[in-house]
């Protein structure tokens, strides 16, 4: 066994937090010396207490061996319905990360020592330590941390001889969902690890080694992360960095410099699964094919499924009996004005916004180009449908930076008339009830109980509903009560005086004629707990920008910010990126032509809105909205024609990191 | 008769003849005018109850015995009345200095007041003196205080009778401390209210009666009009300047009865503002005051604490729903802007909208959306919704001469107008057997035929003799093969004598081929549309081979909208195939958007298929009924034009499906 160079820190109290300061200084000096002596590129770290010394903790030795500190892994979507496993057996043969460290007995006799490895998602976590209460941050127990899959495997025993030699210890672990094996996700004896999937982003690795005596002082709820202390989990990272574990003199907690970045990037050419329950009892399966349908391959491996919008029957509208291609037919504002004024009531078509009844007719997965195509179908006389279309992911995550590369339909034509569609990129709860409840809301009775209920809905402490939206459509960008909704002139229907019916739009609308509004919304279910919860319009500053967040009333379930952007830029180019950066304490909405050219268009934090912490799915839709949802919208959905031609949109990439 | 009597008689005769001449002149002038000039009907105006002038005094810039710096409701000064000071600030105006003083109806003084020890039982006085200084009117009304050492707001209204509206009269208002007590007055606002006629400005012509627009470029009937001046403006060169601490911005008041019944449920307003300093606090106000001068309703939306940038135009808007159940016809609805923050700000382009857009006509649709959804919708005969039948625009080349679409429009018959009368027929056989158009203008007429080679209509014949014995407006003209020679003839029937003439065109001129008295009934009877079934008296029916399949009919009705339908006839019943719409026209020049349209149908392009020539224009007549237009108006965004249409080949599928 090679005897590596190491630094022996003899004072036990330097084993813990102080060691980090010293460590950096010494490491720099040691590195210089080491390189000078050995001319080798491998770096080492040695930590000692009076009883033992450990070194060379390498949490992942069998993955990306060339990269020591920064490793990346893409989540394997094959057969991932029961939850993501990092690594999968496709990544490494046994489906486990190997880790190793070396240990030396510093005492005069052989001794039993105990070790355990922990991992934690660092990208989307609450800080473990609360500097105000000087205790664990109450939300740190929500962090995604784990250890060996079998949580009852506490610390593993090793017997180390007093031979003054380092002994290499090798073991393995993997990152799985529900790492604490919480009862919340276990049903009928089955651990539904997919209900708490591993988070994307960076992971850290913590090796803890303790003597037998110290082990007795490590609480069982730290040794077995399945256990709770007073109804709450205690984050082992907190315990060993800031809590009782910090003071254990014969315990070394070594956080590796190696970090692993987990990225989810589903193959959009891997097919679209059809969930029959979304289409009612019997449905037309005549369009099923290898890349869209219900076969077992798609069931196991398709990362996407066809999305069917919730249709609010109460939003029935009487639509003008016109079928036209607004984007191609040179449809003008004058056309809009005439059609608005000169159809009598009996000529209108009572319309309910529709969703597809024929799966796989409006969504397509292209395995060659690895993209998805969606299209709002054209309609014809007697059919008169405005049909929304979309797709939804099948694997939920909590938090993540969701970035999509898309070319969705242009919303305005060359006359800047809106085609009535809303392009939406949004996250929605994975549903499921209690297992997916958001954190309790502890003020004024909690959340509004349902998504669809009115203002008199009852309040409950917890709900599973959550939603974070990008909705892009033609509507005024500002807060309705802040800069005031536009005043529209009254229109008449005197055909012998075209100034009676051909009323121009207000100047503030025409000034931004080629723009659409990017609406960024968080459905916080009207939880009053955030410190700055408010109604009306409130400025939310972020990075030299001020975003006006708007909420209609105290029982309104969503908070929205709006920004005006060029329709041509967002939907006229070959592709464009949209990003929802969902973090534990903030949500950032960004858009841009390239991933490195993103700009912020919306920002909210936990001071103004309840940030969801449950598991959500991503949806991309081109949907028809009732414009009554959007006060001040210059075009009314019922006065816009039915689509004469298909309206396609393409999705090229989805990356969650 | 002596010379004196003779002279008197001559004088009397001269006077009488002068009077007679004047009478005749005045009597005939309107007729001459009607004959020689186009009478422009007056656009409908609104009677508006407005503030003619508004003045505000906060005493901050005053010094004098009556000014106190001890107590004030705003700023640092007020008007003090004490045992030594019997009369407070007197505001005096010569009547002619009040804008539109002839329309002055009342004067309202609003102020804040406070007394020290005893309620002073003081009066606010309106006094009117004539030009010589003699008092001709005096009215004193009690000042109502709230309680000791507490500011309260009062408002007193003085009615002003029409007999006092002489331009030299002097009108004064002042507080009278008749019991010589201690009290204070501050923030005095004097509002001179009156009625005026609101003339639609050029811009507001585009709006309905319910849409008012003030760009302040011309004399504007809003309160505080003295603040309108040449300054930084959002449009034009003038705007409403609220600098120097002025609080009262433009406002417009209207009697609810003027706004129709039922009363409008909503009032909306917008304006562009240009703050000259930070943190403007403007309030867009809506209010209703009843006949007792009590405020029934008030609502305001403030810009306070909102981020409005200095030196930048920003538009502010507000809409208020009115408590119509509380309102009466005599109530005054006000809309205006209050510069609550008294910061310097410029206001321009004020717009006020009363009520909401008109509801659509007709009864609710009976279509079952579920039937559509489940694909079991079956249309009912002659009931909407109808298919859209598309007619495509056909290209007609332009020409400088003798074309119906010349580049430079002359005043000849080629300048087609919907006011003209048109006859269509194969009057002159050509190799394509195409039909010609005769355009009858008031003083000329011309015949045109389409040339497939040049793709344009060329003039074959023209008659410009105003008093032509044959071609004049005394005759009705009918096309048809009346003498069965295979050519289309013209039948002219004298409207008075019923004498008729049949004319044939020989390539150069019209030849009389037959004449007589009382034309055969069948010659003219089938030229009228039988009103039955879906055909109404206002419909115009145009038979033709639009689809090549069989004879179909275009039915045009412009009573409400441009409503053109394609019909077919089964047995004796007309069936609606669909609504006709157009494609291929440039920009927005869809024929149905024009105010005045005439359809001319004929086989202009081929002998198998009927085309539709549409002559269209807009009309500036205020009372335009759709039949005849005196003031043809060429709007830049919708220029008058002539377009030719054929049914779209894509429509063939509809008929294939149908038959």
């Amino acid at each position: 066994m090679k005897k590596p160079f190491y630094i022996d820190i003899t004072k036990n109290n330097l084993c813990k937090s102080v060691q980090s300061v010293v460590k950096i200084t010494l490491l720099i000096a040691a590195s210089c010396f080491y390189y000078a002596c050995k001319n080798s590129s491998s770096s080492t770290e040695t930590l000692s207490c009076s009883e033992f010394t450990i070194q060379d903790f390498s949490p992942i030795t069998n993955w990306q061996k060339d990269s020591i500190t920064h490793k990346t892994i893409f989540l394997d979507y094959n057969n991932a319905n029961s939850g993501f496993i990092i690594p999968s057996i496709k990544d490494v043969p046994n489906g486990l990360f190997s880790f190793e460290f070396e240990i030396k007995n510093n005492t005069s006799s052989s001794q039993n020592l105990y070790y355990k490895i922990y991992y934690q998602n660092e990208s989307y976590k609450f800080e473990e330590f609360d500097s105000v209460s000087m205790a664990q941050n109450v939300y740190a127990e929500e962090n995604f941390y784990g250890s060996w899959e079998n949580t009852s495997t506490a610390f593993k025993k090793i017997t180390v001889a007093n031979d003054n030699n380092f002994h290499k210890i090798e073991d393995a672990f993997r990152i799985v969902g529900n790492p604490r094996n919480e009862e919340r996700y276990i049903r009928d004896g089955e651990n539904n690890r997919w209900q708490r999937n591993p988070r994307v982003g960076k992971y850290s690795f913590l090796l803890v080694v303790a003597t037998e005596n110290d082990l007795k002082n490590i609480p069982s709820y730290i040794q077995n992360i399945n256990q709770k202390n007073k109804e709450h989990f205690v984050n082992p990272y907190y315990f060993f960095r800031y809590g009782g574990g910090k003071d254990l003199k014969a315990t070394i907690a070594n956080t590796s410099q190696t970090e692993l970045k987990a990225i989810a990037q589903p193959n959009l050419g891997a097919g679209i699964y059809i969930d029959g329950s979304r289409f009612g009892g019997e449905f037309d399966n005549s369009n099923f094919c290898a890349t869209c349908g219900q076969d077992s391959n798609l069931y196991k491996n398709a990362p996407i499924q066809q999305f069917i919008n919730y249709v609010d029957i109460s939003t029935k509208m009487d639509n003008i009996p016109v079928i036209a291609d607004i984007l191609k037919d040179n449809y003008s504002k004058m056309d809009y004005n005439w059609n608005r004024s000169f159809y009598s009531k009996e000529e209108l078509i009572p319309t309910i916004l529709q969703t597809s009844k024929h799966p796989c007719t409006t969504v397509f997965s292209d395995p060659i180009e690895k993209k998805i195509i969606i299209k709002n179908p054209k309609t014809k006389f007697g059919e008169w449908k405005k049909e929304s279309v979309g797709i939804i992911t099948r694997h939920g995550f909590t938090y993540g930076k969701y970035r999509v590369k898309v070319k969705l339909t242009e919303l305005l034509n060359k006359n800047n008339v809106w085609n009535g569609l809303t392009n939406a990129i949004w996250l929605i709860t994975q549903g499921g009830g209690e297992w997916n409840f958001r954190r309790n809301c502890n003020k004024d009775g909690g959340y509004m109980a349902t998504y669809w209920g009115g203002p008199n809905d009852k309040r409950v402490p917890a709900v599973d509903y959550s939603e974070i939206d990008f909705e892009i459509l033609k509507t005024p960008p500002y807060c309705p009560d802040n800069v005031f909704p536009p005043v529209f002139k009254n229109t008449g229907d005197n055909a012998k005086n075209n100034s009676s019916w051909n009323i121009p739009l207000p100047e503030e609308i025409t000034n931004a004629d080629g723009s659409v509004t990017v609406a960024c919304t968080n459905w916080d279910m009207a939880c009053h707990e955030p410190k700055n919860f408010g109604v009306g319009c409130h400025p939310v500053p972020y990075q030299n920008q001020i975003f006006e967040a708007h909420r209609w009333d105290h029982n309104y379930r969503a908070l929205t910010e709006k920004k005006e952007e060029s329709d041509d830029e967002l939907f006229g180019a070959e592709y464009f990126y949209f990003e929802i950066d969902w973090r534990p304490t903030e949500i950032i909405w960004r858009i841009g032509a390239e991933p490195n050219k993103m700009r912020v268009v919306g920002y909210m934090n936990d001071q103004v809105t309840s940030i969801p912490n449950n598991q959500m799915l991503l949806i991309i839709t081109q949907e028809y909205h009732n414009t009554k949802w959007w006060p001040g919208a210059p075009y009314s959905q019922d006065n816009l024609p039915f689509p004469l031609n298909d309206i396609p949109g393409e999705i090229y990439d989805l990356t969650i990191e | 008769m002596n010379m004196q009597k003779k002279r008197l008689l001559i004088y009397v005769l001269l006077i009488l003849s002068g009077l007679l001449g004047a009478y005749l002149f005045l009597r005939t002038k309107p007729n001459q005018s009607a004959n020689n000039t186009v009478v422009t009907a007056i656009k409908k105006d609104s009677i508006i109850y407005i503030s003619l002038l508004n003045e505000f005094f906060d005493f901050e810039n005053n010094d004098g015995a009556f000014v106190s710096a001890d107590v004030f409701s705003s700023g640092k000064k007020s008007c003090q009345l004490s045992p030594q000071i019997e009369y407070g600030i007197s505001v005096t105006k010569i009547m002619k200095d009040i804008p539109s003083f002839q329309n002055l109806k009342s004067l309202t003084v609003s102020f804040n007041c406070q007394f020290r020890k005893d309620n002073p039982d003081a009066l606010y006085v309106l006094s009117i003196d004539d030009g010589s200084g003699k008092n001709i009117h005096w009215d004193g009304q009690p000042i109502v205080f709230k309680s000791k050492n507490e500011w309260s707001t009062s408002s007193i209204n003085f009615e002003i009778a029409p007999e006092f509206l002489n331009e030299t009269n002097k009108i004064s208002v002042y507080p009278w401390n008749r019991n010589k007590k201690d009290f204070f007055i501050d923030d005095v606002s004097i509002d001179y209210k009156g009625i005026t006629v609101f003339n639609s400005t050029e811009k507001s012509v585009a709006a309905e009666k319910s849409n008012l627009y003030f760009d302040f470029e011309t004399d504007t009937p809003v309160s505080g009009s003295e603040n309108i001046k040449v300054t930084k403006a959002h449009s034009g060169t003038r705007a409403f300047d609220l600098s120097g601490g002025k609080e009262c911005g433009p406002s417009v008041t209207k009697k609810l009865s003027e706004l129709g019944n039922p009363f409008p449920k909503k009032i909306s307003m917008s304006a562009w503002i240009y703050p000259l300093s930070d943190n403007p606090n403007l309030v867009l106000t809506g209010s209703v005051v009843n006949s007792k001068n009590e405020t029934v309703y008030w609502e305001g939306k403030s810009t306070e604490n909102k981020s409005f940038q200095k030196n930048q135009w920003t538009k502010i808007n507000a809409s208020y729903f009115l408590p119509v159940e509380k309102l009466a016809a005599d109530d005054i609805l006000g809309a205006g802007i209050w510069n609550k923050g008294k910061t310097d700000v410029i206001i321009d382009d004020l717009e006020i909208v009363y009520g909401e857009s008109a509801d659509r006509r007709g009864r609710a649709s009976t279509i079952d959306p579920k039937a559509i959804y489940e694909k079991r919708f079956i249309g009912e005969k002659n009931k909407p919704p109808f298919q859209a039948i598309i007619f495509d625009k056909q290209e007609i080349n332009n020409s400088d001469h003798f074309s119906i679409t010349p580049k430079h429009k002359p005043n000849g018959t080629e300048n087609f107008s919907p006011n003209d009368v048109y006859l269509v027929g194969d009057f002159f056989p050509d190799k394509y057997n195409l039909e010609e158009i005769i355009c009858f203008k008031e003083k000329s007429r011309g015949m045109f035929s389409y040339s497939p080679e040049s793709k344009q209509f060329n003039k074959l014949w023209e008659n410009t003799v105003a008093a032509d014995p044959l071609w004049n407006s005394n005759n009705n003209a009918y096309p048809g093969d009346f003498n069965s020679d295979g050519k289309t003839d013209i039948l002219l029937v004298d409207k008075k004598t019923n004498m008729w003439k049949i004319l044939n065109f020989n390539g150069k001129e019209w030849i009389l081929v037959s004449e007589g008295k009382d034309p055969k009934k069948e010659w003219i009877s089938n030229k009228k549309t039988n009103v039955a079934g879906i055909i109404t008296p206002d419909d115009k029916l145009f038979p033709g081979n639009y689809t090549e399949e069989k004879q179909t009919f275009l039915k045009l009705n412009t009573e409400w909208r441009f409503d053109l339908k394609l019909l077919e006839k089964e047995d004796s019943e007309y069936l609606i195939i669909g609504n006709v719409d157009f494609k291929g026209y440039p920009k927005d020049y869809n024929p149905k958007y024009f105010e005045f349209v005439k359809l001319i149908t004929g086989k202009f392009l081929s002998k198998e298929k009927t085309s539709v020539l549409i002559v269209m224009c807009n009309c500036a007549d205020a009372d335009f009924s759709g039949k005849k237009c005196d003031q043809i108006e060429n709007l830049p965004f919708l220029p008058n034009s002539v377009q030719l249409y054929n049914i779209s080949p894509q429509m063939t599928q509809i008929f294939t499906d149908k038959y």
Side-chain angles (χ1 to χ4, degrees), chain A residues 332 335 342 357 482 489 499, chain B residues 206 306 351 373 561 588 593:
Chain A
S332 69
D335 295 327
F342 291 112
K357 305 294 173 297
N482 190 23
K489 290 189 178 81
S499 62
Chain B
K306 308 294 188 294
E351 186 164 24
Y373 181 77
R561 63 181 179 192
D588 275 324
Y593 300 159

Side-chain angles (χ1 to χ4, degrees), chain A residues 619-635:
Chain A
I619 300 171
I620 301 175
T621 47
Q622 293 182 167
E623 46 187 274
Y624 288 99
H625 282 185
N626 188 327
T627 38
K628 286 174 185 165
W629 300 347
W630 299 96
Y635 300 97

Side-chain angles (χ1 to χ4, degrees), chain A residues 332 335 340 342-343 345-347 357 383 482 484-485 489-491 493 495-496 498-499 508 639, chain B residues 206 211 301 306 315 317 351 354 357 359-361 363 372-373 558-561 588 593 595 618:
Chain A
S332 69
D335 295 327
R340 176 182 59 187
F342 291 112
Y343 283 107
K345 285 180 185 169
E346 54 264 38
E347 291 174 292
K357 305 294 173 297
E383 195 175 54
N482 190 23
F484 310 99
K489 290 189 178 81
N490 290 341
T491 57
D493 62 353
K496 294 170 185 69
N498 53 31
S499 62
E508 66 266 43
N639 291 329
Chain B
N211 304 327
K301 196 170 266 186
K306 308 294 188 294
K315 192 173 185 187
N317 309 276
E351 186 164 24
Y354 297 100
S357 293
D359 203 8
R360 285 186 188 272
R361 296 184 181 205
R363 289 167 297 170
I372 300 170
Y373 181 77
T558 56
E559 279 304 292
W560 169 39
R561 63 181 179 192
D588 275 324
Y593 300 159
E595 293 166 353
N618 291 302

Side-chain angles (χ1 to χ4, degrees), chain B residues 232-467:
Chain B
K232 180 99 186 165
H234 179 257
S235 68
T237 56
R238 284 154 53 99
F240 200 103
D241 183 6
L242 273 179
S243 55
K246 295 189 193 96
E247 245 186 301
C248 298
S251 68
V252 174
T253 52
K254 267 195 164 192
K255 219 170 192 178
L256 278 170
S257 56
E258 294 172 35
L259 296 168
N261 195 5
F263 306 142
K265 292 178 182 171
K266 190 178 173 186
I267 181 170
S268 308
M269 68 200 86
S270 68
W272 287 89
I273 63 165
Y274 190 88
L276 297 165
S277 55
D278 291 325
N279 305 318
N281 183 6
L282 294 168
V283 183
L284 290 169
T285 64
S287 63
V288 178
V289 177
N290 67 14
S291 53
K292 296 175 188 169
N293 209 25
E294 297 163 336
T295 301
V296 182
Y297 160 83
W298 190 94
E299 199 166 347
K301 196 170 266 186
S302 168
T303 64
E304 192 175 18
N305 300 326
K306 308 294 188 294
S307 49
F308 285 94
Q309 285 201 12
K310 192 168 77 173
N311 299 331
Q312 183 175 304
W313 285 105
T314 306
K315 192 173 185 187
I316 55 174
N317 309 276
S319 287
Y320 305 121
F321 286 95
L322 303 172
V324 284
E325 68 283 356
K326 295 182 186 171
L327 307 182
D330 286 344
D331 292 353
I332 305 295
L333 173 60
I337 299 176
W338 170 29
N339 183 17
K340 189 180 177 187
K342 298 182 186 174
T343 57
D344 293 349
V345 65
I346 297 169
I347 296 168
D348 203 0
D349 295 342
L350 171 68
E351 186 164 24
I352 299 170
V353 176
Y354 297 100
E356 295 173 287
S357 293
D359 203 8
R360 285 186 188 272
R361 296 184 181 205
R363 289 167 297 170
S365 170
T366 55
I367 298 171
D368 177 9
K370 215 174 162 195
I372 300 170
Y373 181 77
E374 293 171 357
K375 294 193 171 179
R376 51 182 177 77
F377 167 78
I378 299 170
E380 286 184 65
K381 187 172 71 177
N382 290 343
K383 282 194 174 177
F386 302 114
Q387 297 263 20
I389 307 295
I390 303 299
F391 274 60
D392 289 334
K393 183 175 177 293
Q394 307 299 305
E395 204 55 45
I396 313 175
N397 285 343
N398 285 326
S399 172
D400 281 338
H401 303 288
F402 311 125
S403 166
I404 64 165
T405 55
K407 284 177 187 169
H408 307 292
K409 292 207 168 191
N411 291 320
T413 48
E414 53 270 58
N415 191 11
F416 282 18
S417 156
N419 281 327
D420 301 335
V421 176
Y422 299 91
L423 292 185
V424 173
D426 188 8
F427 300 111
F428 179 61
D430 59 275
K431 61 181 176 181
Y432 300 109
N433 290 321
L434 301 181
E435 293 185 320
E436 290 81 38
I437 305 170
I438 303 174
C439 170
F440 289 82
K441 288 189 172 291
E442 197 175 347
K443 292 173 184 172
S444 61
R445 57 289 316 162
M447 184 162 70
F448 300 84
S449 71
Y450 183 78
S451 161
E453 286 82 13
S454 61
K455 292 192 173 178
Q456 69 180 54
F457 282 89
N458 295 315
K459 186 157 61 183
L460 293 179
W461 165 84
E462 188 174 51
N463 178 313
T464 56
V465 181

